[in-house]
Amino acid sequence: MNLADGGATMAASDFALFMGQLFRKPHQVVALAPSSRGLCAEMVAELDPTKGPVIELGAGTGNITRAILDAGIAPDACHSIEMNSDFCNRLRANFPGLNVYQMSAGDCGDLPVDNVQAVVSGLPLLSMPVQLQRDILGGFAKKVAPGGAYVQFTYGPKPPVTKVVRDELALTWRKSHKIWWNMPPARVYRFHQG
Ligand SMILES: C[S@@+](CC[C@H](N)C(=O)[O-])C[C@H]1O[C@@H](n2cnc3c(N)ncnc32)[C@H](O)[C@@H]1O
């Protein structure tokens, strides 16, 4: 069924769960709707099944998770963090074999995986405190293989990592074209160290 997601296949029950949690925990979910198919495609466009595992942050009901798996990443090579227990239960039910961790993304540096090719984030990063952003990007720096990327979408005009953290970690970035078919329209940023 197509539900406010640009034609991606998303179960009505997943959409209902997302909207219900958005209503109950707006400061955690911080999105009008799940990411669209076009946005998910851009988030995973540079993943390569031969280049190692992936960490996903803020998986929600799994639209980006599905795109990661469709890009050829095996479920057991995908490590998805989500703090909301209802979303975690749904991820476990929908994606057998996926590594699902109910925890804060700020602790991603503790995951039992190294040399990841990318950290793919659906987090509302810019609305988070600077220290939490520092912990998340610090975890990325610890876990990523040389040349790997931190991939983050944003709805606004600025890079979605605050300047002080970008400077501390010497992050450079590229940004995508605007993805209009998303609610609201978004861009994808790819951050690298050095
Ligand atoms: C904007 S939604 C994105 C959901 C999904 N990835 C998508 O793109 O449709 C943000 C998600 O991040 C989760 N989240 C927010 N803060 C978090 C944190 N500190 N650690 C882990 N997950 C968090 C929320 O529960 C929510 O599922």
Side-chain angles (χ1 to χ4, degrees), residues 79-99:
H79 298 257
S80 296
I81 290 180
E82 171 54 57
M83 73 188 317
N84 180 302
S85 60
D86 292 331
F87 286 160
C88 285
N89 290 339
R90 187 61 58 93
L91 290 165
R92 292 188 181 104
N94 284 352
F95 304 105
L98 183 75
N99 300 289

Side-chain angles (χ1 to χ4, degrees), residues 18 28-31 34-35 56 58-60 63-64 81-84 87 103-105 122-124 128 132 153:
F18 187 96
Q28 283 179 18
V29 177
V30 198
S35 297
E56 182 191 17
N63 275 15
I64 296 175
I81 290 180
E82 171 54 57
M83 73 188 317
N84 180 302
F87 286 160
M103 58 189 265
S104 170
L123 295 171
M128 293 176 162
L132 183 52
F153 68 75

